[in-house]
Amino acid sequence: MSQQSTAQQTLGVFVNAPEAQQGYTMIAPTRYNEVYLINNCGELVHQWESTLTAGMKTQLTSDGMLLRAERSSTTFGSGGVGGTVLERAANSDLEWEIEYSNNEFCQHHDIVEMPNGNILLHAWYRKDVEQSLMAGRDPALMPPGGLWTERVVELKEVLPGQFEEVWSWDAWDHLVQDVDPLMDNFGEPSEHPELIDINYHNQSADFLHVNGLDYNEALDQIVISSRNYNEIWIIDHSTTTQQAATHTGGVQGRGGDILYRWGNPAAYGRGSVLDQTFSGQHDPEWIPETMVDGGAIKVFNNGINRGYSSVDILVPPVRPDGSYVLEAGEAFGPRELTWTFDDDGSFYSLNVSGAQRLPNGNTLICIGNGGELREVDYAGNLVWYYISPVGQTGLLAQGFEPTGNTMFQARKYVPDYPGLSNLSLESQGKLIPGDLDCSVYPEVAHMRFRAQLEGAFESSYGHMRTHLKAKKLIPQLQPYNGDPVFYFGGETAAHLPSNMVDWVLLEARDSSNPNIVLERIPCLLLRNGTIVSVSGDINLRFNTLTPGQAYYFAIRHRNHLPVMSMNPVTFGFGALVDFTEVNQVRDGGNQLISLGPEGFALKAGDFDSNGRINFADYQKYLTMSSAIDQYEWPDANLDGHVTVKDYDLYKKNQGSVAISELLY
């Protein structure tokens, strides 16, 4: 059957708004052996050639190499099959290659470049019928030939092009079954949420079908996506390989058992189909702490059970020590997602697919089956739209409905990503002619800021608490329109991120006379100290400032002393004003308070926001004392209550005064 022309655009860029994240998007088709890097106008800026099709992950490493899994195996017949992992230089030359496949095992789907340079992958390993029965598989559910377990493997390059296995985890060591009471792993799955019910899924040898993973260096944990169990699992990476095969050892003391799982509590007997959220999901990933919803986990939820897909973000109930809250007899929380986007059910992909949270707060969505990329802002507005023009034989024809342009995932690399530094990035013209006629928007001058609040800082976590956000007490409208600040801007955050601490107000001041305020912008303070715009962008823009000129910058919070930069700072492209550094703040030794190794913070206790911590603040505290679950100025520790803890912070800093330029 021949393709029919639609006499209109069917491929390439359809939308490119100024609000789209500037950067370069990797187009890595699953059925073709070339990889493309394009700018926001769909112009080709770099291209790699390979010999095999994807198997499945392709990414640009931080040192500019193309890290890629390729399909070389012919002995495993499930979706996502790979077998080879390799790196190619900018000119496509092969740097190294690992053949991780034979008749008994095979790499598939995802690979991760770890911060230490090691490679994390996952692979199927065959278990024959006898081994599967001995593990407790119900004979009535036994597929011919037995089952495939999943193993997560870390590889280290010990010599150029030579790798050794330095760590591994096998799901087979963490099974539970309720079929044969004579076996060691007999038990009720609902009583063992740390284990995998070997009889939950009964459709294929590939009974787990892991399709994605990610590594969190701060927690030293790995998240795994099991498509057939409709769950994500978190395991401890701090174990040795020997400990990972047991139920003890590692930082968490639980060996390789599951520390946390979410998406389908029926898989461990603590829920029903009504409690299921994920269905065939892909691409689990921790969001970096510097971005909105940092620390949360992002997942592309294929939604097979409902017929439409979504991007879902959840905040696991993690304790300061990296363990997870689980009430007796209950399913793991949270009870609801912190952010989700499905565009009213308008997109669906049966398999593959992924998403990426971007530094400006946007989310890039890869709807894999149709090679469709959508970038939406934090409020869900479409700002960039692209359909891949690459099919299984190369570039497709404009004006025809695309076929075979499937993508596993897509990633956009921002202009300052280190891996781009060795690429020329010069436009080589449109990858596919006939799409949107547009220009790449020039970079706009911007600044970046960091700050910490003494009252909100939680030493056991090493960051500020987010209790106000968790209790839904923070207003969406900026709160600085009252006495004495009187900022009457109508800035409203359409969605407040899960890692938000509170609103802050930034001020740009004249370099020769810092008493003169030139511009003020309300912003969102994240728990790690990053300050973002109301739309979630870490790059903060001042509309009235002149690029290349220097200004003082100050920060205010409603119940902490304001501070100002030590010197004027040039307004340009990405300069950082770090109010957590004592030498970057005017009179920083007196104006800031030390948090030890975590830097410095604004002093708590200025309940009337006038720059002085004195008896007037105490009087305001008395009027609000014992307030519960409210957004109040005397709530110095930002937990939603006004208690003696807030008084203690005030008392500690009583007599402190901001520099004269910041007083009201």
Side-chain angles (χ1 to χ4, degrees):
M1 181 177 175
S2 62
Q3 288 182 306
Q4 297 297 312
S5 174
T6 63
Q8 61 183 6
Q9 179 186 346
T10 56
L11 303 167
V13 179
F14 290 78
V15 175
N16 179 31
E19 294 79 13
Q21 173 71 64
Q22 297 304 306
Y24 304 91
T25 302
M26 181 169 285
I27 306 299
T30 62
R31 301 180 183 180
Y32 194 57
N33 59 359
E34 293 188 356
V35 179
Y36 309 88
L37 197 65
I38 62 170
N39 62 25
N40 279 6
C41 281
E43 297 168 341
L44 179 67
V45 299
H46 199 81
Q47 181 175 347
W48 293 265
E49 296 179 356
S50 197
T51 55
L52 298 171
T53 56
M56 287 281 187
K57 182 71 168 283
T58 303
Q59 66 184 79
L60 183 65
T61 67
S62 57
D63 60 353
M65 296 293 174
L66 187 76
L67 177 62
R68 179 170 166 88
E70 296 194 336
R71 183 168 186 163
S72 59
S73 173
T74 59
T75 60
F76 284 79
S78 188
V81 64
T84 297
V85 179
L86 55 80
E87 268 194 353
R88 292 190 180 277
N91 62 359
S92 298
D93 283 354
L94 183 66
E95 294 291 312
W96 54 257
E97 182 179 52
I98 305 168
E99 186 72 20
Y100 203 89
S101 175
N102 59 26
N103 289 334
E104 298 303 317
F105 62 86
C106 180
Q107 173 275 330
H108 62 104
H109 283 94
D110 211 353
I111 50 177
V112 173
E113 178 196 25
M114 302 179 73
N116 62 3
N118 292 356
I119 303 299
L120 198 66
L121 59 81
H122 58 100
W124 293 304
Y125 274 73
R126 294 187 192 275
K127 299 291 183 179
D128 60 27
V129 171
E130 182 179 357
Q131 290 173 307
S132 301
L133 290 173
M134 291 300 295
R137 181 68 168 185
D138 187 336
L141 305 178
M142 183 68 69
L147 300 174
W148 304 349
T149 184
E150 288 279 0
R151 188 175 295 181
V152 179
V153 177
E154 180 181 352
L155 301 176
K156 178 181 180 179
E157 188 173 23
V158 291
L159 292 172
Q162 296 183 28
F163 290 79
E164 68 176 11
E165 183 177 306
V166 295
W167 183 88
S168 67
W169 172 91
D170 196 328
W172 205 254
D173 299 318
H174 305 281
L175 301 175
V176 65
Q177 52 86 25
D178 57 0
V179 173
D180 190 340
L182 298 180
M183 293 185 178
D184 291 340
N185 66 347
F186 178 78
E188 174 57 47
S190 64
E191 297 176 2
H192 294 280
E194 76 280 7
L195 302 177
I196 303 164
D197 181 2
I198 191 175
N199 294 308
Y200 174 73
H201 191 270
N202 61 10
Q203 294 183 4
S204 66
D206 183 15
F207 73 110
L208 299 173
H209 195 83
V210 168
N211 57 24
L213 72 166
D214 190 32
Y215 174 68
N216 186 310
E217 183 179 20
L219 294 172
D220 202 7
Q221 295 175 7
I222 296 168
V223 62
I224 301 168
S225 169
S226 170
R227 183 181 190 269
N228 287 348
Y229 280 59
N230 304 304
E231 288 187 296
I232 58 170
W233 304 327
I234 292 179
I235 59 172
D236 192 352
H237 175 262
S238 72
T239 62
T240 64
T241 296
Q242 292 73 26
Q243 292 170 334
T246 70
H247 310 292
T248 60
V251 170
Q252 298 303 319
R254 300 176 59 183
D257 284 349
I258 294 173
L259 303 177
Y260 175 79
R261 61 200 302 175
W262 203 86
N264 179 27
Y268 55 104
R270 294 194 179 185
S272 69
V273 66
L274 298 177
D275 302 304
Q276 180 178 339
T277 301
F278 293 156
S279 181
Q281 78 290 334
H282 287 74
D283 197 15
E285 185 178 51
W286 273 284
I287 298 174
E289 284 285 353
T290 55
M291 300 184 191
V292 289
D293 296 319
I297 295 175
K298 171 274 312 168
V299 173
F300 185 96
N301 185 2
N302 294 72
I304 297 171
N305 63 344
R306 65 190 183 194
Y308 67 90
S309 300
S310 61
V311 178
D312 295 342
I313 294 175
L314 64 135
V315 180
V318 60
R319 298 186 180 97
D321 64 358
S323 63
Y324 295 83
V325 176
L326 177 61
E327 302 296 337
E330 298 294 322
F332 280 100
R335 295 184 180 275
E336 60 184 25
L337 298 166
T338 191
W339 191 90
T340 186
F341 178 79
D342 61 24
D343 202 16
D344 297 322
S346 70
F347 62 91
Y348 177 61
S349 186
L350 178 66
N351 51 23
V352 293
S353 308
Q356 177 191 12
R357 175 57 54 82
L358 299 168
N360 69 349
N362 292 355
T363 302
L364 179 66
I365 305 169
C366 174
I367 307 161
N369 274 352
E372 181 181 344
L373 304 182
R374 300 186 187 188
E375 184 178 331
V376 299
D377 65 18
Y378 202 46
N381 302 304
L382 183 68
V383 297
W384 192 72
Y385 184 53
Y386 186 85
I387 294 180
S388 171
V390 188
Q392 60 188 25
T393 59
L395 291 176
L396 301 169
Q398 186 71 271
F400 292 83
E401 290 299 328
T403 60
N405 61 340
T406 302
M407 297 173 63
F408 179 57
Q409 295 173 4
R411 289 293 185 265
K412 179 176 279 191
Y413 300 94
V414 295
D416 60 357
Y417 179 67
L420 295 173
S421 60
N422 292 328
L423 306 181
S424 70
L425 302 178
E426 293 182 5
S427 173
Q428 301 171 33
K430 291 280 191 177
L431 182 58
I432 182 71
D435 65 352
L436 182 70
D437 185 14
C438 70
S439 299
V440 175
Y441 292 100
E443 187 177 14
V444 178
H446 58 271
M447 302 286 289
R448 294 182 179 182
F449 296 84
R450 292 192 72 247
Q452 296 182 123
L453 303 178
E454 175 195 12
F457 190 76
E458 187 75 62
S459 59
S460 59
Y461 280 95
H463 58 65
M464 291 174 283
R465 65 178 62 89
T466 56
H467 289 24
L468 295 179
K469 173 59 179 72
K471 295 178 179 180
K472 302 180 180 179
L473 298 177
I474 302 177
Q476 290 183 285
L477 174 67
Q478 64 83 16
Y480 293 101
N481 51 10
D483 185 16
V485 181
F486 293 125
Y487 175 78
F488 295 112
E491 286 88 349
T492 300
H495 186 88
L496 301 176
S498 57
N499 57 336
M500 179 180 176
V501 177
D502 202 358
W503 288 90
V504 294
L505 187 68
L506 293 176
E507 297 177 338
R509 292 173 171 252
D510 188 88
S511 61
S512 58
N513 183 1
N515 287 293
I516 299 175
V517 179
L518 302 174
E519 187 173 350
R520 298 191 286 181
I521 56 173
C523 300
L524 316 181
L525 176 65
L526 306 184
R527 68 183 187 181
N528 77 323
T530 300
I531 297 173
V532 300
S533 70
V534 293
S535 64
D537 197 342
I538 63 172
N539 296 320
L540 300 175
R541 296 167 176 84
F542 292 81
N543 297 324
T544 63
L545 304 190
T546 302
Q549 292 192 10
Y551 303 89
Y552 285 101
F553 293 93
I555 182 173
R556 294 185 182 275
H557 180 260
R558 58 196 177 90
N559 58 29
H560 285 65
L561 281 185
V563 297
M564 188 174 74
S565 58
M566 173 72 80
N567 300 302
V569 180
T570 301
F571 178 55
F573 298 90
L576 172 66
V577 179
D578 193 344
F579 295 114
T580 73
E581 295 287 342
V582 68
N583 60 357
Q584 291 196 31
V585 172
R586 175 77 66 89
D587 192 26
N590 293 315
Q591 297 298 306
L592 297 173
I593 193 160
S594 175
L595 299 176
E598 304 301 332
F600 290 77
L602 278 62
K603 290 183 177 181
D606 186 13
F607 301 148
D608 56 11
S609 308
N610 67 357
R612 304 171 181 85
I613 301 177
N614 54 25
F615 186 69
D617 298 298
Y618 174 65
Q619 290 179 307
K620 188 156 190 173
Y621 162 79
L622 289 177
T623 64
M624 298 293 177
S625 182
S626 301
I628 297 175
D629 289 338
Q630 297 179 40
Y631 186 75
E632 299 291 354
W633 266 237
D635 176 21
N637 70 350
L638 279 68
D639 66 354
H641 310 319
V642 179
T643 68
V644 69
K645 293 179 181 179
D646 304 303
Y647 169 78
D648 290 342
L649 285 164
Y650 152 79
K651 186 66 175 178
K652 174 184 177 183
N653 295 321
Q654 186 180 17
S656 296
V657 180
I659 61 174
S660 60
E661 293 90 341
L662 303 181
L663 296 176
Y664 282 115

